């Protein structure tokens, strides 16, 4: 049986993986019409995965331009760049992701 400390460490590791791959918040489909109405949307600090920008564009056809200082480590808890994609621009119509 695992100790409380081991369980806590396991949960912390899982939480870090979820934040690194998804975001700090969960998108709600009710927001898509609002974003689309006020678009184009500029997202500053999109993180390495540009999770919200990709979600808005793919699910709601929202016109989005997203920026982060580092597209390899931005938005990561640990700052690690494993499993990150380096991209200077996304070629999908209506979605641009840039570093800077």
């Amino acid at each position: 049986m695992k100790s409380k400390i081991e369980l806590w460490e396991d949960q912390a590791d899982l939480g870090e993986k979820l934040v690194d791959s998804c975001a700090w918040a969960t998108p709600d489909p009710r927001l898509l019409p609002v974003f689309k109405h006020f678009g184009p949307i500029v997202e500053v600090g999109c993180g390495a995965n540009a999770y919200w920008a990709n979600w808005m564009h793919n699910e709601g056809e929202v016109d989005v331009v997203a920026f982060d200082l580092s597209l390899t480590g931005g938005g990561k808890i640990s700052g690690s760049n494993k499993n990150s994609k380096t991209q200077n621009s996304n070629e999908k119509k209506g979605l641009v992701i840039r570093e800077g």
Side-chain angles (χ1 to χ4, degrees):
M1 178 177 241
K2 289 187 174 187
S3 70
K4 288 182 181 180
I5 292 172
E6 290 171 321
L7 289 172
W8 178 260
E9 288 173 344
D10 289 348
Q11 288 178 336
D13 290 342
L14 176 61
E16 183 174 338
K17 289 176 188 172
L18 289 171
V19 168
D20 285 353
S21 65
C22 296
W24 285 95
T26 305
D28 186 320
R30 295 174 291 182
L31 294 171
L32 291 171
V34 175
F35 288 136
K36 193 163 187 158
H37 175 78
F38 288 103
I41 300 297
V42 176
E43 181 182 7
V44 178
C46 67
N49 296 322
Y51 183 77
W52 274 80
N54 278 298
W55 173 76
M56 284 187 280
H57 178 75
N58 294 334
E59 296 297 320
E61 299 178 1
V62 177
D63 196 9
V64 183
V65 179
F67 294 90
D68 201 284
L69 286 175
S70 172
L71 290 176
T72 57
K76 303 270 184 182
I77 291 175
S78 63
S80 70
N81 61 5
K82 59 187 174 192
N83 298 327
S84 293
K85 298 176 213 165
T86 301
Q87 44 185 324
N88 289 324
S89 177
N90 191 313
E91 295 180 13
K92 294 179 186 175
K93 184 177 180 185
L95 175 65
V96 178
I97 302 170
R98 298 205 190 280
E99 187 169 64

